[in-house]
Structure formats: structure tokens, C-alpha cells
């Protein structure tokens, strides 16, 4: 600023006085990577130099409780820049840290030269934010033509910043296992119903067959295992032998077995359906082959699975001399998830 003062007195004359003051740094900002109280983090200063015709030798950054240059710079409580490291510089470069103190960082460079007018950026890592309740603090930025931030300053500016409370966002995904059994499941498990599979009259001339359905899904990391427990068909002391290995249906021979596939002999059942990845296992995954051993695993998935619907086909055959009676079997399905 040029100040011109004209004074008049009894002696004709002109008194001209001048005073040059520091210019203001422009486009100033301070970005703190993690503004949480007491956190050791990264501080990035951005600004544009104003005095582009004056040599630049050093820049001083001071963390204070006031932004005013003529007020003593008191460090915000807990502030610590003594371990600061200059990790990035852009624009006016060639700087290194001359000194780093509790609330002061001084950058210097080997050769002084006038700065460019574009924006410059300086990033300091390992700076500790102030302690205490979240609040506002200031950083003063002062430039010097000398290499050690001594003598009259050239440009000055201040930025305001603040610490913040840490907001923790958390949630929990509970373990989920969905499993149901019914005669027919048309949608999800809410549509499952019925628990009696009627195979009709047992005759030696043809197979008796029926179906039920079950549905499973889980978010378990290691998937599901479905096992079948129960007995073969019995009537008092009489029974129909269960098939120990996968076997075709042979009317006239005593047989009882199940599988989880679409079969043509007899024409019964369906292949698994749905978006899930669970599938019939081992002996129960062969069309037109039937088997039943209590405790066998009949379906599995290797990982979490969406809803998968299985149709269980039941086949019974009897010999011509099979004793009459009401033959029944109770089969219990147990689904386990591996989390």
C-alpha cells in the first residue's frame, strides 16, 4: 500500500511518506485427513503466493488459538507437529523441513527465488490433532525471503479448521437358516403344509410312489447339510426292506427308497429349483435310482445359499406274498448350517 500525505504550513513544500505491508495469501485451505480428536494424521495446506516479485526462502506454519498475526500464538491443547514429515509438495517446490515443533513447522529451500502465482500444496504426515472436546483452531501461514523464517515477513494468511467427534457406524448380520418341509411348497416356507404322503394301495404289479418337498437357505459361510432319519415302511412285525444302495424300481420285489431327482420310472419327482447352490448328494442324486439309509446326508451346499427347493420322491414295491396291513414310515429331515 502506498500512503501519500500532504501537509500545509507556513513553508511551502510537499512531504511524501510510504509504507509497504505484507500481501495476503490467496485461496487458502487446510484439509485434515482424519479430524478426530487426538488423532495422528495428515494435514494438507493449499494456497497461492501473492508476492510473486519478491524472493521466497521459507514458509512458516503455526497452529494457534487465534488467527491474528498481532496476537501471541498459543498452541491448541494437545497439538503436536514435532514429528511432522513433508510427504508431498506441489506448485512451488524444492522445500524441506528446517524445524518442526509442537505447533510450528518451518519449510526452507536451498535457493531463494520469487514464487509462481499458481496454487501450491504441502502435505505433512504424522501431525497430532488437538486434544479435548471437538473445537476450532487456526493455522497461520507466513512467508519470508530469508531461509530461516527470520526478518520481515512477505505474505501472510490464516485458515480455520476443527476437530470432530468420531462417529462409529456398525451393524450386524445375524446367522440365518431357513428350512421347511411340506407336501407342496409353492412359494417360500410360509406356503409349506401337510406331512402325510399317501402311497395308495401297495401292489406287486406296479410301484407305489409319492412326493414331498423341502426348502433350505442360509448365509452360513460353509453352507448347509440336510440329513434324513427314520425307518422303512412297517406294519406290526412286517416290513418292506429299505434299499441299501441306489437301485431301480422293480415291482414284485420288496423295496423302499427315495431320491431327490426328476424320475421317469416311475414318472415322479422334480430336479432341485431355485437360485440357491444346494444340490442332492451322493446316492440320492441319481435319477431312477432309489435308496434309504437312516442318517444319510441327502443334500448339501458348499457355501451360503439362496433358497433351494427339493422334491423328495418315495417309491415302495412289494412281493406278491407281502403280508397285508397298513404300512407306515416316519422320516425326519434335519438341516444344519456351518457358520
Amino acid at each position: 500500500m502506498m500512503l501519500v500525505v500532504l501537509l500545509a504550513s507556513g513553508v511551502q513544500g510537499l512531504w511524501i511518506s510510504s509504507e509497504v505491508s505484507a500481501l495476503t495469501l490467496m485461496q487458502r485451505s487446510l484439509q485434515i485427513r482424519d479430524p478426530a480428536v487426538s488423532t495422528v494424521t495428515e494435514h494438507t495446506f493449499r494456497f497461492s503466493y501473492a508476492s510473486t516479485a519478491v524472493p521466497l526462502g521459507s514458509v512458516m506454519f503455526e497452529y494457534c488459538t487465534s488467527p491474528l498475526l498481532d496476537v501471541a500464538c498459543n498452541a491448541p491443547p494437545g497439538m503436536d507437529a514435532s514429528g511432522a514429515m513433508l510427504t508431498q509438495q506441489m506448485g512451488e517446490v524444492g522445500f524441506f523441513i528446517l524445524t518442526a515443533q509442537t505447533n510450528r513447522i518451518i519449510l526452507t529451500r536451498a535457493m531463494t527465488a520469487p514464487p509462481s502465482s499458481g496454487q501450491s500444496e504441502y502435505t505433512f504426515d504424522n501431525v497430532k490433532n488437538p486434544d479435548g472436546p471437538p473445537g476450532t483452531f487456526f493455522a497461520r501461514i507466513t512467508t519470508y525471503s530469508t531461509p530461516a523464517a527470520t526478518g520481515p515477513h512477505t505474505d501472510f494468511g490464516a485458515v480455520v479448521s476443527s476437530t470432530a467427534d468420531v462417529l462409529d457406524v456398525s451393524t450386524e448380520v445375524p446367522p440365518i437358516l431357513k428350512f421347511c418341509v411340506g407336501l407342496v411348497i409353492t412359494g417360500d416356507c410360509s406356503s409349506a403344509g401337510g406331512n402325510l404322503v399317501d402311497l395308495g394301495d401297495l401292489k406287486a404289479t406296479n410301484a407305489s410312489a409319492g412326493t414331498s418337498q423341502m426348502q433350505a437357505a442360509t448365509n452360513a459361510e460353509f453352507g448347509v447339510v440336510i440329513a434324513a432319519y427314520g425307518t422303512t415302511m412297517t406294519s406290526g412285525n412286517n416290513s418292506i426292506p429299505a434299499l441299501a444302495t441306489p437301485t431301480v424300481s422293480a415291482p414284485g420285489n420288496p423295496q423302499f427308497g427315495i431320491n431327490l431327482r426328476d424320475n421317469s420310472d416311475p414318472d415322479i419327482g422334480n430336479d432341485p429349483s431355485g437360485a440357491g447352490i444346494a444340490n442332492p448328494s451322493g446316492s440320492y442324486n441319481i435319477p431312477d435310482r432309489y435308496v434309504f439309509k437312516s442318517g444319510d446326508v441327502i443334500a448339501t451346499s458348499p457355501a451360503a445359499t439362496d433358497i433351494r427347493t427339493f422334491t423328495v420322491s418315495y417309491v415302495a414295491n412289494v412281493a406278491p406274498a407281502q403280508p397285508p396291513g397298513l404300512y407306515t414310515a416316519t422320516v425326519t429331515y434335519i438341516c444344519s448350517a456351518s457358520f
Side-chain angles (χ1 to χ4, degrees), residues 5-68:
V5 180
L6 302 180
L7 297 178
S9 66
V11 179
Q12 296 291 326
L14 178 64
W15 178 39
I16 301 177
S17 173
S18 66
E19 176 183 324
V20 178
S21 63
L23 297 182
T24 301
L25 296 169
M26 305 300 292
Q27 298 176 300
R28 306 180 304 275
S29 68
L30 168 57
Q31 178 181 342
I32 301 178
R33 179 181 290 274
D34 185 351
V37 170
S38 305
T39 296
V40 176
T41 186
E42 191 177 83
H43 288 202
T44 298
F45 290 89
R46 297 183 181 90
F47 56 88
S48 297
Y49 293 96
S51 298
T52 56
V54 180
L56 172 66
S58 56
V59 184
M60 182 167 65
F61 302 86
E62 290 184 292
Y63 295 91
C64 313
T65 56
S66 169
L68 303 178

Side-chain angles (χ1 to χ4, degrees), residues 180-185 191-197 211-213:
C180 59
V181 175
L183 293 183
V184 178
I185 303 174
S191 65
N195 61 358
L196 176 62
V197 179
T211 62
S212 69
Q213 289 188 314

Side-chain angles (χ1 to χ4, degrees), residues 86-145:
L86 179 62
T87 57
Q88 180 174 297
Q89 51 184 311
M90 298 173 60
E92 198 64 29
V93 298
F95 288 95
F96 59 92
I97 293 179
L98 176 65
T99 181
Q101 302 170 352
T102 301
N103 67 322
R104 177 181 296 175
I105 304 171
I106 298 177
L107 294 183
T108 189
R109 58 183 180 178
M111 297 182 62
T112 62
S116 61
S117 59
Q119 190 172 62
S120 293
E121 178 180 308
Y122 305 96
T123 298
F124 301 100
D125 202 358
N126 203 41
V127 177
K128 179 177 174 291
N129 293 338
D131 294 336
T136 298
F137 65 95
F138 303 90
R140 304 177 188 177
I141 310 169
T142 314
T143 68
Y144 297 84
S145 59

Side-chain angles (χ1 to χ4, degrees), residues 266-277:
D267 186 7
I268 193 170
N270 291 291
D271 286 336
S273 62
I277 60 173

Side-chain angles (χ1 to χ4, degrees), residues 52-289:
T52 56
V54 180
L56 172 66
S58 56
V59 184
M60 182 167 65
F61 302 86
E62 290 184 292
Y63 295 91
C64 313
T65 56
S66 169
L68 303 178
L69 189 59
D70 55 355
V71 175
C73 179
N74 296 315
M79 182 76 209
D80 189 1
S82 61
M85 299 177 293
L86 179 62
T87 57
Q88 180 174 297
Q89 51 184 311
M90 298 173 60
E92 198 64 29
V93 298
F95 288 95
F96 59 92
I97 293 179
L98 176 65
T99 181
Q101 302 170 352
T102 301
N103 67 322
R104 177 181 296 175
I105 304 171
I106 298 177
L107 294 183
T108 189
R109 58 183 180 178
M111 297 182 62
T112 62
S116 61
S117 59
Q119 190 172 62
S120 293
E121 178 180 308
Y122 305 96
T123 298
F124 301 100
D125 202 358
N126 203 41
V127 177
K128 179 177 174 291
N129 293 338
D131 294 336
T136 298
F137 65 95
F138 303 90
R140 304 177 188 177
I141 310 169
T142 314
T143 68
Y144 297 84
S145 59
T146 60
T150 57
H153 63 275
T154 305
D155 292 343
F156 172 78
V159 293
V160 60
S161 190
S162 64
T163 52
D165 278 325
V166 176
L167 178 62
D168 292 325
V169 179
S170 63
T171 186
E172 179 181 356
V173 178
I176 297 173
L177 173 62
K178 295 182 179 180
F179 182 67
C180 59
V181 175
L183 293 183
V184 178
I185 303 174
T186 57
D188 57 21
C189 279
S190 63
S191 65
N195 61 358
L196 176 62
V197 179
D198 187 356
L199 301 186
D201 294 336
L202 299 175
K203 299 177 181 179
T205 56
N206 58 273
S208 295
T211 62
S212 69
Q213 289 188 314
M214 58 185 177
Q215 195 173 86
T218 186
N219 64 350
E221 180 180 2
F222 303 107
V224 294
V225 173
I226 303 174
Y229 296 85
T231 62
T232 188
M233 302 190 74
T234 61
S235 176
N237 293 326
N238 301 315
S239 65
I240 301 173
L243 294 168
T245 59
T247 306
V248 297
S249 172
N253 297 281
Q255 298 173 317
F256 174 72
I258 66 173
N259 71 19
L260 279 67
R261 294 297 304 274
D262 183 15
N263 304 285
S264 59
D265 185 19
D267 186 7
I268 193 170
N270 291 291
D271 286 336
S273 62
I277 60 173
N279 278 306
S281 59
S283 300
Y284 299 86
N285 195 28
I286 307 173
D288 297 324
R289 298 293 188 275

